[in-house]
Amino acid sequence: RKEVEQDPGPFNVPEGATVAFNCTYSNSASQSFFWYRQDCRKEPKLLMSVYSSGNEDGRFTAQLNRASQYISLLIRDSKLSDSATYLCSFGSARQLTFGSGTQLTVLP
Amino acid sequence: EAGVAQSPRYKIIEKRQSVAFWCNPISGHATLYWYQQILGQGPKLLIQFQNNGVVDDSQLPKDRFSAERLKGVDSTLKIQPAKLEDSAVYLCASSSSGGNEKLFFGSGTQLSVL
């Protein structure tokens, strides 16, 4: 089983749609969880951390399911500017491991 | 606050040549990372420094890649000799501590090996 598995997409959704991504991890010792956003030809930037109780930041909601070992990202009311690749990331005591990313395109 | 600085932005070399990348982390960040990102893939950790010591270099191809962070601040990653499969973006990142902390990335160096 891969350390991190992400659906590569692409996800093509119309403006205003709700879209969700999942990301599974195999290392049960993972302690920290993040979603990063990466625009084309740019560096990854932290979108949000993922907390055990779930957390929300505006139109973005992140959830953690430790029992099934996955995290999710929900984007409501999609904007054109949300078009990017979304990378999940898992941290153990010493390092962060990244998924291969899910490509999202929001269409007008 | 200044971000993570990397240079050069782009580099084109022929196979078997050598190349070096430079990174200056955010001031005060103890942990520095070098990641390799091949097109269509996520960043893959090459090496992690805590101050000037190596924390993890298990995925660094040590026969051709080397990295140093002599004074615990800036860092250099070298490839010698380069192979075609080394074509990728090399990202430097830093964090205030290691492992569980969020990372701040530099803009990367895009390497093309011909």
Side-chain angles (χ1 to χ4, degrees):
Chain A
R1 183 181 176 184
K2 284 186 179 178
E3 209 168 350
V4 180
E5 292 201 56
Q6 255 190 286
D7 183 343
F11 285 69
N12 298 317
V13 302
E15 265 188 295
T18 296
V19 62
F21 314 131
N22 284 343
C23 189
T24 59
Y25 61 97
S26 60
N27 184 357
S28 58
S30 296
Q31 300 169 12
S32 57
F33 308 88
F34 306 93
W35 283 101
Y36 281 77
R37 171 193 169 126
Q38 186 170 27
D39 292 298
C40 189
R41 301 185 184 278
K42 298 286 189 180
E43 73 273 19
K45 292 186 178 177
L46 181 69
L47 178 64
M48 58 197 302
S49 303
V50 187
Y51 302 117
S52 297
S53 54
N55 47 298
E56 191 174 300
D57 182 1
R59 299 181 293 107
F60 298 84
T61 301
Q63 298 277 356
L64 166 62
N65 186 316
R66 283 190 185 272
S68 299
Q69 295 188 195
Y70 74 87
I71 62 172
S72 64
L73 177 67
L74 180 79
I75 306 175
R76 291 182 300 278
D77 188 23
S78 300
K79 311 292 185 190
L80 295 177
S81 56
D82 294 334
S83 296
T85 296
Y86 291 82
L87 299 162
C88 60
S89 177
F90 303 92
S92 63
R94 297 176 74 182
Q95 65 167 264
L96 283 172
T97 301
F98 286 84
S100 55
T102 297
Q103 186 180 337
L104 170 68
T105 301
V106 181
L107 304 169
Chain B
E1 179 183 82
V4 177
Q6 282 191 253
S7 66
R9 186 72 179 89
Y10 303 94
K11 191 72 178 180
I12 300 173
I13 62 172
E14 294 185 350
K15 60 182 179 183
R16 291 189 290 273
Q17 286 187 324
S18 62
V19 64
F21 314 126
W22 175 82
C23 172
N24 195 26
I26 291 173
S27 177
H29 278 194
T31 309
L32 185 148
Y33 311 76
W34 283 102
Y35 281 87
Q36 179 193 58
Q37 187 172 24
I38 293 172
L39 188 64
Q41 299 181 19
K44 171 189 151 186
L45 180 69
L46 293 175
I47 188 166
Q48 177 182 343
F49 293 95
Q50 180 81 10
N51 297 309
N52 60 350
V54 176
V55 173
D56 187 343
D57 63 356
S58 57
Q59 298 190 88
L60 187 74
K62 298 180 186 64
D63 57 335
R64 298 184 301 105
F65 285 65
S66 64
E68 59 183 16
R69 193 186 184 198
L70 293 176
K71 296 182 180 178
V73 181
D74 58 345
S75 175
T76 302
L77 175 70
K78 295 179 182 177
I79 308 175
Q80 182 179 11
K83 292 186 175 181
L84 297 177
E85 58 261 37
D86 298 332
S87 294
V89 176
Y90 290 85
L91 293 161
C92 179
S94 70
S95 67
S96 54
S97 63
N100 291 310
E101 294 292 323
K102 61 185 181 183
L103 303 187
F104 296 86
F105 284 89
S107 54
T109 296
Q110 184 172 330
L111 174 67
S112 297
V113 182
L114 306 177

